[in-house]
Amino acid sequence: MSERESEHHNPTHALTFPDLSGAVPTSAEARAKRRIAALEEELQMMQQEKGTKQRKTTYYVSQGRAIRRMVVLYTSLEDLIAENDRRYEEQLEENTTEQDRLQRGYITLAQVVPWLHPKLSELDIDDCEDMLKKVPQRGADAARGDDTSTLKDLVAAWVNQDFRPSCLLKADDKHSRGFVHDTCGKLLCPSEWDWSDPRVKAGIRDRTSEYIVSENSWPLFLYENYTVDSNNLEEGLFKSKILVQAFKATFTSPSSAKEADGDGDGADILENNRRARRALNQAKVKTCVRFALSGVTSWRTIDGDFDYEMFWNNIVDFFEDVPGPVAQRRVTRLLEWWTRKIFGRNHREDLTPDVVSKMSVTALAEQRKAIEDAAFDSD
């Protein structure tokens, strides 16, 4: 084989030395392929990071839904956090009612959303503000919107079923509710007045100075059987059927609201007892029912002379700012009543060893042991 033929069959690729730029020449096709591969890898990493971030955001938003349901209905998270920081720094013994209310809200917030408190200490101020505004707050506001929308439909059905008004409420119509509707007007009427009195009815509808409907009155819908004892205004307060229905629809399921007359069925009572107590210490359900009965078409703080935020505070203070131990015992009994209504009765504490020893599981175990002993003795 000649030298020329040998070079043809065994070609050699001589490396071209770099030019003044220091770059070794490569083919355009190879460079394009490598660039595409690098971009695809970068895109995959971005998609993974976006998915992780989205999952975290979804988790935080879902956790935030508990805030408006079980912590505060109006107060911002920033105000709760600021009050807790102030107390820790100043260590003052005397605080205002509003400051006490904020601190109780922060404590409940830390219990309902346990990851939030340690998370706040890890983030810098900018990240902290961004998280509070975009994540839990979004879930909190979404929960309030969902609950008011759901109760708007359900309250109409409950009123129609229980009161059978001549003018039935429509689920999609809020304009016909409020004091223009006779049944809704009765339920919204302040407990110190008699809705059946034509002067009261006319005064409220005409919004005269003698009959100002404000948050300073307990509406009749809060009372058991929708009746009130003027000599004992606490009797039956927060025991109405429509409140029980609304609580079940919000915290358990809409279908469970159909059974509001008797005690609950006891399902998950040990798991949910604390949740029921914590939620009932707040005024979410009462406030939303009032909104559902009213003629207001969209959520807002002021309805005529009625301030929903102050109404919320009045109910919270009833449960949490009690005048003494006697009132505290009445509040405790009221919460126990609610626990029974929602989750049923529980008598676990009555299952003493003596009682258990007379039950069939223990009896069977003793019988089986006796049979084994008898067989052993016969052998």
Side-chain angles (χ1 to χ4, degrees), residues 32-247:
K33 288 181 178 180
R34 287 192 289 271
R35 189 175 297 113
I36 291 172
L39 289 173
E40 289 178 342
E41 183 178 358
E42 183 179 352
L43 177 61
Q44 185 177 7
M45 291 294 295
M46 291 175 62
Q47 289 175 337
Q48 290 176 350
E49 291 176 0
K50 182 179 179 181
T52 301
K53 184 177 180 180
Q54 182 62 39
R55 285 193 295 272
K56 287 183 178 180
T57 300
T58 301
Y59 171 77
Y60 290 150
V61 169
S62 65
Q63 292 285 295
R65 294 180 68 86
I67 295 171
R68 290 288 178 247
R69 287 179 169 174
M70 304 176 71
V71 183
V72 288
L73 191 58
Y74 289 98
T75 309
S76 68
L77 300 184
E78 290 86 348
D79 289 345
L80 298 182
I81 295 167
E83 174 58 24
N84 186 70
D85 291 343
R86 184 195 68 81
R87 290 197 177 212
Y88 186 79
E89 293 170 356
E90 297 180 4
Q91 298 290 321
L92 298 178
E93 294 184 2
E94 294 294 329
N95 298 288
T96 66
T97 300
E98 176 62 22
Q99 289 170 338
D100 287 340
R101 191 182 293 129
L102 288 171
Q103 185 60 19
R104 289 194 298 267
Y106 183 83
I107 293 172
T108 305
L109 174 67
Q111 294 171 340
V112 173
V113 192
W115 56 264
L116 186 61
H117 181 77
K119 193 75 175 177
L120 292 173
S121 61
E122 298 173 3
L123 301 175
D124 59 37
I125 184 63
D126 292 334
D127 291 339
C128 180
E129 290 179 355
D130 185 67
M131 183 191 73
L132 291 176
K133 290 179 180 178
K134 293 184 178 179
V135 183
Q137 196 72 39
R138 197 193 322 167
D141 294 339
R144 183 173 63 188
D146 291 346
D147 293 339
T148 53
S149 177
T150 298
L151 288 179
K152 180 187 73 172
D153 297 342
L154 291 175
V155 165
W158 299 334
V159 169
N160 291 338
Q161 179 179 342
D162 291 346
F163 294 92
R164 302 188 182 279
S166 56
C167 180
L168 296 177
L169 296 180
K170 297 179 180 179
D172 59 349
D173 181 17
K174 287 272 284 176
H175 296 286
S176 61
R177 304 187 194 187
F179 290 107
V180 299
H181 190 278
D182 196 58
T183 303
C184 290
K186 174 185 176 180
L187 295 174
L188 291 171
C189 182
S191 57
E192 58 264 35
W193 300 328
D194 183 3
W195 178 253
S196 62
D197 186 337
R199 293 173 301 175
V200 172
K201 191 177 299 186
I204 290 176
R205 286 175 172 172
D206 295 339
R207 297 186 63 181
T208 65
S209 58
E210 289 184 87
Y211 298 100
I212 301 175
V213 178
S214 73
E215 71 283 351
N216 297 298
S217 299
W218 295 122
L220 196 63
F221 77 83
L222 297 175
Y223 282 90
E224 188 174 19
N225 299 322
Y226 313 110
T227 58
V228 61
D229 181 358
S230 59
N231 296 317
N232 185 4
L233 292 173
E234 191 172 347
E235 180 65 29
L237 184 61
F238 304 128
K239 286 188 174 183
S240 70
K241 179 180 178 181
I242 200 169
L243 286 184
V244 175
Q245 290 174 309
F247 186 94

